[in-house]
Amino acid sequence: MTTKSERTQQRIIDAANQLFYRKGYNRTSFTDVVDEAEVPRGNIYYYFKTKEEMLRAVIKHRMETTTLMLSEWEKSIKNPLDRLERFVQIMYDSTPALLRSGCPMGSLNVELAKDQPELKSDAKQLFDLFQQWLAKQFAQMGYPEEARELSLELLARGQGIIVIAQVYQDPGFLERGTKEINRWLENLDRYA
Amino acid sequence: MTTKSERTQQRIIDAANQLFYRKGYNRTSFTDVVDEAEVPRGNIYYYFKTKEEMLRAVIKHRMETTTLMLSEWEKSIKNPLDRLERFVQIMYDSTPALLRSGCPMGSLNVELAKDQPELKSDAKQLFDLFQQWLAKQFAQMGYPEEARELSLELLARGQGIIVIAQVYQDPGFLERGTKEINRWLENLDRYA
DNA sequence: TCGTGGTTTGGATTATAGTCCTAAATTTTC
DNA sequence: GAAAATTTAGGACTATAATCCAAACCACGA
């Protein structure tokens, strides 16, 4: 059972998570978070002394939900190809959000890579998490040597497609892009 | 011959251009620009009343230098394949800057796409400029129908590679990525 | 019941950002 | 070379951000 205080903290994290995604980390103010979470102004400092602390909590939260998601995929999907395609599918499923705010992981990293090295290294963990999971799938598919490189290539393809789809507000590009990735994955699987 | 005032304005634009790239638009303050350009605090407002105006001037400046660069490539390089590969080469040549601050065009668009729609549409022009030039080359190469799609795909590949190379601080990934793009372009050319 | 630690408030405080103003200096124009 | 326009210069002003504080509140065990 969760205490009221825990629930408040979670509300703050959820609000910050959303705002950091929609507005970016630097353009999100404490006031924004306080309003969104419906927490009285001063109270937020009881939970997070600084904005950086808040970001770390948000990243931790994303790490947890992502870890859960990936392990569920691993449990419910037996075939590595299908798992990789499941990954591609969340891209497609998230079209509206991606067109509006870009990739939550990519845009955060791009933002923090500018001049905020400590925070950047925190955000990078999110990439690591996906990268390692993807590499595992490629390895199981029959590419143990190339697994890391293939996982990076898959991530790069995803990032590129999302950036362009967002710039041109073009859901079709995202759709064609994900289909093309699937073709590539299926070929890899076939000739493994 | 340029007047002193014109040179001052240019110094401001250059300083802002660099800072927007290195620190991002939102995290760059007037104070930063003033310091970098070595212009007295109040003077900058004689040239740019608002920060947005300054960004627009920076984008205009980038548009001009890019236009010049592309038209010079067009003049000095006859073959569309070679022109496309010249484009890929600036990516490779810019490795240190890309690892530090990402793609100047991509990161600006990603930043402004969050919640700053008017500025975003200005930044998009930079993509349009490259996109149209690239499409022209693909058309000349023998793909008039697919030119736009191919140009978007080339841009997407570039963006993806840069993001991943930056996240992992991996110049090798950038090098392998650009080589792979060249292979792709050469195949397109061969079977046009 | 009381008190003590955790929690809640809202406003106060400080820093920084963006913007404006006005007077002096300089350049341009006649 | 004087008047007019442009440019310089530094500080003042306002808004907004992050952060802090101290009093009030509440829950629960002694």
Side-chain angles (χ1 to χ4, degrees):
Chain A
M1 163 200 143
T2 62
T3 72
K4 188 187 173 201
S5 156
E6 280 168 340
R7 270 179 287 121
T8 302
Q9 175 160 29
Q10 196 53 50
R11 255 208 340 281
I12 295 170
I13 291 175
D14 288 342
N17 189 27
Q18 273 199 49
L19 287 163
F20 290 169
Y21 178 40
R22 290 182 134 80
K23 309 188 44 158
Y25 170 70
N26 288 304
R27 272 177 57 84
T28 299
S29 71
F30 270 132
T31 306
D32 292 332
V33 177
V34 151
D35 289 350
E36 179 77 19
E38 298 187 80
V39 166
R41 174 132 204 73
N43 189 216
I44 206 168
Y45 286 91
Y46 176 74
Y47 293 100
F48 304 103
K49 274 178 277 299
T50 68
K51 203 172 149 186
E52 301 192 357
E53 227 177 87
M54 210 160 79
L55 177 62
R56 284 183 225 278
V58 165
I59 290 174
K60 182 157 171 272
H61 175 246
R62 290 195 194 176
M63 290 291 288
E64 286 161 1
T65 56
T66 305
T67 301
L68 189 64
M69 179 183 76
L70 294 176
S71 74
E72 272 172 9
W73 288 354
E74 213 149 359
K75 206 180 306 169
S76 66
I77 308 174
K78 291 299 157 212
N79 189 324
L81 172 64
D82 293 335
R83 288 178 186 160
L84 291 169
E85 292 195 339
R86 182 69 190 79
F87 168 78
V88 174
Q89 198 200 330
I90 63 165
M91 264 177 67
Y92 179 71
D93 290 346
S94 314
T95 298
L98 294 175
L99 292 182
R100 199 190 327 104
S101 310
C103 172
M105 177 171 73
S107 58
L108 183 67
N109 272 272
V110 166
E111 179 176 14
L112 299 178
K114 302 214 178 232
D115 218 34
Q116 288 162 110
E118 321 78 27
L119 294 177
K120 188 207 136 162
S121 69
D122 281 289
K124 174 172 174 290
Q125 295 178 243
L126 291 163
F127 266 101
D128 288 334
L129 188 55
F130 276 107
Q131 186 271 312
Q132 280 158 26
W133 187 87
L134 293 172
K136 203 196 291 182
Q137 310 314 318
F138 281 115
Q140 284 186 26
M141 193 191 256
Y143 296 94
E145 299 296 322
E146 307 92 330
R148 184 188 149 83
E149 185 74 5
L150 288 169
S151 68
L152 291 179
E153 184 175 343
L154 177 49
L155 287 170
R157 285 190 184 222
Q159 291 299 312
I161 289 165
I162 293 169
V163 169
I164 298 303
Q166 190 190 18
V167 166
Y168 287 99
Q169 288 295 298
D170 184 345
F173 187 76
L174 192 56
E175 183 174 3
R176 293 192 297 280
T178 51
K179 284 215 175 104
E180 176 56 34
I181 292 178
N182 279 337
R183 266 194 294 278
W184 170 63
L185 292 173
E186 286 155 21
N187 268 332
L188 279 175
D189 189 50
R190 194 160 323 160
Y191 301 113
Chain B
M1 158 194 152
T2 62
T3 72
K4 187 185 172 204
S5 157
E6 280 169 339
R7 270 179 286 122
T8 302
Q9 176 160 31
Q10 196 53 49
R11 254 207 344 279
I12 295 171
I13 291 174
D14 288 343
N17 188 27
Q18 274 200 48
L19 287 163
F20 290 169
Y21 178 39
R22 289 182 134 79
K23 309 187 43 156
Y25 170 70
N26 288 306
R27 272 176 58 85
T28 300
S29 72
F30 269 122
T31 306
D32 293 332
V33 177
V34 152
D35 290 349
E36 179 78 19
E38 298 186 80
V39 166
R41 175 140 199 71
N43 190 217
I44 205 169
Y45 285 92
Y46 175 74
Y47 294 99
F48 303 104
K49 273 179 279 298
T50 68
K51 200 172 152 186
E52 301 191 357
E53 229 178 84
M54 211 160 79
L55 176 62
R56 284 184 227 277
V58 165
I59 291 174
K60 184 158 169 271
H61 175 245
R62 289 194 193 178
M63 290 291 288
E64 286 161 2
T65 57
T66 305
T67 301
L68 188 64
M69 179 182 75
L70 294 178
S71 74
E72 272 172 9
W73 288 353
E74 213 150 359
K75 206 181 303 167
S76 65
I77 308 175
K78 291 299 157 212
N79 189 324
L81 171 64
D82 293 336
R83 288 179 184 159
L84 291 168
E85 292 195 341
R86 183 68 190 80
F87 168 78
V88 175
Q89 199 200 328
I90 63 165
M91 263 176 67
Y92 179 71
D93 290 345
S94 314
T95 298
L98 294 175
L99 291 183
R100 198 188 331 103
S101 310
C103 172
M105 176 171 73
S107 59
L108 182 66
N109 271 271
V110 166
E111 179 177 12
L112 299 177
K114 301 212 177 238
D115 218 34
Q116 289 162 110
E118 323 78 27
L119 294 178
K120 187 208 138 162
S121 69
D122 281 288
K124 175 173 173 289
Q125 296 178 246
L126 290 164
F127 266 102
D128 288 335
L129 188 56
F130 276 107
Q131 186 271 312
Q132 280 158 26
W133 187 86
L134 294 172
K136 205 197 287 183
Q137 311 315 318
F138 280 115
Q140 283 186 27
M141 190 192 259
Y143 296 94
E145 299 297 321
E146 307 92 329
R148 183 187 149 81
E149 185 74 6
L150 288 169
S151 68
L152 291 178
E153 185 175 342
L154 177 49
L155 287 170
R157 285 191 184 220
Q159 291 298 313
I161 288 165
I162 293 170
V163 169
I164 298 303
Q166 190 190 20
V167 166
Y168 287 99
Q169 289 294 297
D170 184 345
F173 187 75
L174 192 56
E175 182 174 4
R176 293 192 297 280
T178 51
K179 285 218 175 103
E180 175 58 35
I181 292 178
N182 280 336
R183 266 194 294 280
W184 170 63
L185 292 173
E186 285 155 21
N187 268 332
L188 280 174
D189 188 50
R190 193 161 322 159
Y191 303 113

